[in-house]
Amino acid sequence: MAEPILAVAGLRKRFGGLAVTDDVSFSVAEGGIHAVIGPNGAGKTTLIHQLSGTLRPDAGSIRFAGREVTGMGLPRRARLGLARSFQITSVLPGFSVLENAALAVQARSGSSFRFMRPAAGERALNEQAMAALDQVGLGARAGMMAGVLSHGEKRQLELAIALAMRPRLLLLDEPLAGAGPEETERLIGILLGLKRAYTILLVEHDMQAVFALADRISVLVYGRIIATDAPAAIRADPAVRAAYLGEDEVA
Amino acid sequence: MRAALVVLAALAAAPFIGFGEGYVLTLLARAMILAMAAVSLWLLVGGAGMVSLGHAAMLGIGAYAVVVLDDARITDALVVVPVAMGAAALFALVTGAVAIRTSGVHFIMITLAFGQMAFFTTASLAAYGGDDGYTLYGRTTIGGQRWLENRLVFHFLCLGLLALALAGGQMLLASRFGRVLRAARENPLRVQAVGFSPYPYRLIAYGIAGAIAGLAGVLMANAAEFVAPSYLAWQRSGDLLFMVILGGLGSLQGAVLGALAFVLLEEWLGHLTEHWRLIFGPLLVLSVLFLRGGLVGVLRRG
Ligand SMILES: Nc1ncnc2c1ncn2[C@@H]1O[C@H](COP(=O)(O)OP(=O)(O)OP(=O)(O)O)[C@@H](O)[C@H]1O
Ligand SMILES: [Mg+2]
């Protein structure tokens, strides 16, 4: 079997007395969507923070594309092709939609210690940024300020920025968060399209979406992964049902 | 950029349309020099989101470089200008390396502290007059020529360098480097998430702003032919910050508008009454309260 693109072993993170990541080990194979589900406060975002380098784990190791990345910060991991999106939309509101994506292209296109030439006029950057916007159906908004986009469009822009990085692995933290029914529909369609070309670790609350999208699912409860399996098996797993559907507590 | 161009054109025409008297040119030179310093501070505040309260130190170091060289009878611009800009940039890089690790109020306080450190250092330089300051033997020369002693030449030198600083600042902000800087001001997490570490960009910007302020310091020393520690006082840093905010953070030209408005208003009130500070202070407060977006914002709306 090929080496997984992401391998996590013995990851731990505590906030005070609370073990938010409690000995988490799992791996993500190349291709397709691996979903992480779990109730509110299970530690999903904290896990994404540690995988992306936003937050330093207390213990454990993270290997990405055959490299130990545990000690690297967010920018380094991003340059290696580990792209993350944010549960709470994080774009540049005062930049145009195109420039939001172009900044991500710029980050992987040679040095940015260039002081003379106007960046907005660099065709290579703009073309690749435009391609990323088109991938998520946001091409028509390229000239608008990101701050005036609708919530759903901002979620699309988050995706486009990540795609503009040409990632080897996408870490998506609740890409559907806060989206209305129509927006959700559209975003699921986009993710289905991306699934063919990218490896995605998807944290998501929307169960219907997860079962429609995921090839594999890990279930996180109180900081622990209690199961990792194919969607059908996860749906049938009694421990998962008990923990996640809020029936009797499972020790 | 239109408003700034109009202002620069007016400054170019001023000596020929009845504003050629000595004291008027002195006033305009002071305004242009402070505008240049304000442009450099705007790059930090408006461009990078770093609110420095120690920027007068950069100017002062440029001015004291002129003093030290003047004392050694070195007056040629070919030496004075690079040394002054280099010294100010070096001070900016060294202090910035520490200050930029902080943010918000901490950044303001630490730049203030470094500024005060520079202020007290110059005040203790007994060889250069200490508290009393130092009177230059003469203005900076260019290729041995004492052109700067000509008021008109000096006027147009200040104007030319201000225009250059403005154009250079615009270019910088629009470049790849400037884009990272501006993005990191808006949302540092986003910038890191796409693969940039903001620190080196901010530090370089700090150094560049220091160099430009150092050049303004050279002009400042030449304008008065006198340099004192008060050039580095924190009140001066506060004035510069005020000019930047008065002008507006929406566009770099705000720095020029803010500096000119500040200097001219100060002068005008000074003529009206000896208690001008009593009016100036409240005016500043009102302008912050009511001119949202500064003068640039007013021009945009109007
Ligand atoms: N910086 C922090 N300091 C202290 N506690 C924190 C911190 N960040 C998160 N927590 C706590 O850790 C737990 C897990 O939070 P996390 O955001 O990872 O959950 P989540 O699974 O993403 O939840 P949600 O579904 O609501 O997004 C929560 O109890 C939260 O209050
Ligand atoms: Mg979360």
Side-chain angles (χ1 to χ4, degrees):
Chain A
M1 202 180 130
E3 194 185 354
I5 182 87
L6 185 75
V8 180
L11 207 65
R12 290 177 187 278
K13 182 78 195 175
R14 301 185 74 89
F15 289 123
L18 191 68
V20 180
T21 305
D22 193 1
D23 195 19
V24 165
S25 303
F26 71 105
S27 60
V28 177
E30 202 140 4
I33 295 184
H34 185 136
V36 175
I37 62 172
N40 278 103
K44 303 180 298 294
T45 295
T46 305
L47 180 62
I48 294 274
H49 280 338
Q50 292 169 88
L51 299 181
S52 62
T54 316
L55 200 65
R56 194 175 275 277
D58 298 335
S61 91
I62 302 163
R63 286 181 72 76
F64 170 64
R67 286 180 73 159
E68 180 71 38
V69 299
T70 320
M72 292 180 190
L74 174 62
R76 282 247 351 250
R77 288 189 213 187
R79 289 199 296 274
L80 288 179
L82 190 55
R84 70 161 296 177
S85 74
F86 293 90
Q87 182 171 355
I88 297 164
T89 305
S90 180
V91 298
L92 302 166
F95 279 46
S96 74
V97 170
L98 184 72
E99 242 195 325
N100 266 273
L103 181 74
V105 179
Q106 187 183 315
R108 57 168 173 80
S109 310
S111 171
S112 279
F113 293 103
R114 295 192 196 162
F115 304 90
M116 314 269 272
R117 193 169 151 205
E122 287 197 45
R123 264 186 61 188
L125 299 187
N126 290 342
E127 282 170 4
Q128 293 174 67
M130 200 61 205
L133 293 180
D134 283 333
Q135 267 181 292
V136 303
L138 214 52
R141 297 276 185 266
M144 282 171 72
M145 284 293 138
V148 303
L149 292 180
S150 73
H151 177 78
E153 287 169 336
K154 282 183 187 152
R155 301 308 291 167
Q156 283 166 269
L157 179 55
E158 279 267 351
L159 278 176
I161 293 171
L163 295 178
M165 295 165 67
R166 280 217 187 123
R168 296 194 58 190
L169 174 63
L170 277 164
L171 304 172
L172 304 182
D173 192 357
E174 300 205 25
L176 309 180
E182 277 164 47
E183 290 173 335
T184 300
E185 199 77 16
R186 189 166 71 231
L187 285 162
I188 290 178
I190 293 166
L191 290 173
L192 273 174
L194 295 180
K195 188 177 154 168
R196 284 193 286 273
Y198 296 91
T199 309
I200 301 175
L201 182 72
L202 172 71
V203 163
E204 190 44 69
H205 231 102
D206 185 327
M207 280 300 126
Q208 247 175 318
V210 167
F211 284 105
L213 287 166
D215 301 297
R216 251 181 117 65
I217 298 177
S218 293
V219 183
L220 191 70
V221 179
Y222 295 126
R224 293 181 150 272
I225 289 193
I226 60 166
T228 296
D229 216 325
I234 289 291
R235 213 197 284 264
D237 189 320
V240 172
R241 295 182 75 90
Y244 194 66
L245 302 177
E247 297 171 11
D248 302 57
E249 290 285 329
V250 176
Chain B
M1 269 337 257
R2 270 222 310 280
L5 288 179
V6 170
V7 167
L8 293 182
L11 285 166
F16 311 111
I17 55 171
F19 297 100
E21 289 165 74
Y23 92 94
V24 180
L25 287 184
T26 303
L27 176 69
L28 292 182
R30 189 175 122 77
M32 289 187 282
I33 294 164
L34 288 173
M36 196 171 155
V39 164
S40 71
L41 180 59
W42 194 99
L43 292 175
L44 299 180
V45 181
M50 302 190 290
V51 180
S52 164
L53 195 45
H55 208 59
M58 316 288 172
L59 252 97
I61 286 168
Y64 267 92
V66 178
V67 165
V68 172
L69 292 171
D70 180 88
D71 190 58
R73 298 294 184 278
I74 298 167
T75 58
D76 200 283
L78 274 179
V79 180
V80 173
V81 170
V83 168
M85 291 178 76
L90 187 67
F91 178 78
L93 289 173
V94 171
T95 59
V98 179
I100 292 166
R101 293 184 191 281
T102 68
S103 62
V105 177
H106 294 279
F107 183 81
I108 297 178
M109 296 312 287
I110 200 162
T111 50
L112 173 64
F114 280 126
Q116 286 302 91
M117 205 177 80
F119 168 77
F120 287 118
T121 305
T122 55
S124 69
L125 293 175
Y128 305 111
D131 267 337
D132 298 331
Y134 178 99
T135 302
L136 298 182
Y137 286 99
R139 288 193 173 181
T140 300
T141 54
I142 299 172
Q145 304 294 313
R146 301 164 62 144
W147 285 327
L148 297 201
E149 286 175 12
N150 180 303
R151 285 180 180 284
L152 267 188
V153 170
F154 192 68
H155 179 81
F156 281 98
L157 180 69
C158 291
L159 182 59
L161 290 177
L162 171 60
L164 203 63
L166 195 58
Q170 283 298 357
M171 181 185 76
L172 195 72
L173 289 166
S175 71
R176 278 188 173 207
F177 173 83
R179 177 188 264 172
V180 177
L181 205 60
R182 288 181 287 120
R185 179 199 66 211
E186 281 209 13
N187 186 346
L189 186 60
R190 170 39 73 201
V191 169
Q192 290 178 312
V194 300
F196 294 108
S197 209
Y199 183 81
Y201 295 88
R202 288 177 174 155
L203 185 58
I204 290 174
Y206 205 66
I208 291 173
I212 298 172
L215 180 59
V218 172
L219 294 176
M220 186 93 95
N222 273 284
E225 296 181 34
F226 171 76
V227 178
S230 64
Y231 284 33
L232 295 83
W234 69 268
Q235 290 92 333
R236 291 274 189 136
S237 297
D239 287 350
L240 286 174
L241 197 54
F242 187 79
M243 291 169 196
V244 166
I245 292 164
L246 175 65
L249 297 178
S251 136
L252 180 61
Q253 60 173 338
V256 177
L257 303 183
L260 261 66
F262 185 98
V263 172
L264 297 180
L265 191 65
E266 191 184 51
E267 178 71 16
W268 179 61
L269 289 175
H271 278 294
L272 286 185
T273 160
E274 61 181 296
H275 304 298
W276 62 276
R277 280 182 187 281
L278 286 179
I279 308 173
F280 195 50
L283 266 182
L284 297 188
V285 174
L286 287 176
S287 69
V288 169
L289 285 178
F290 292 107
L291 297 181
R292 294 249 186 76
L295 296 170
V296 172
V298 172
L299 287 175
R300 260 192 207 146
R301 282 192 296 271

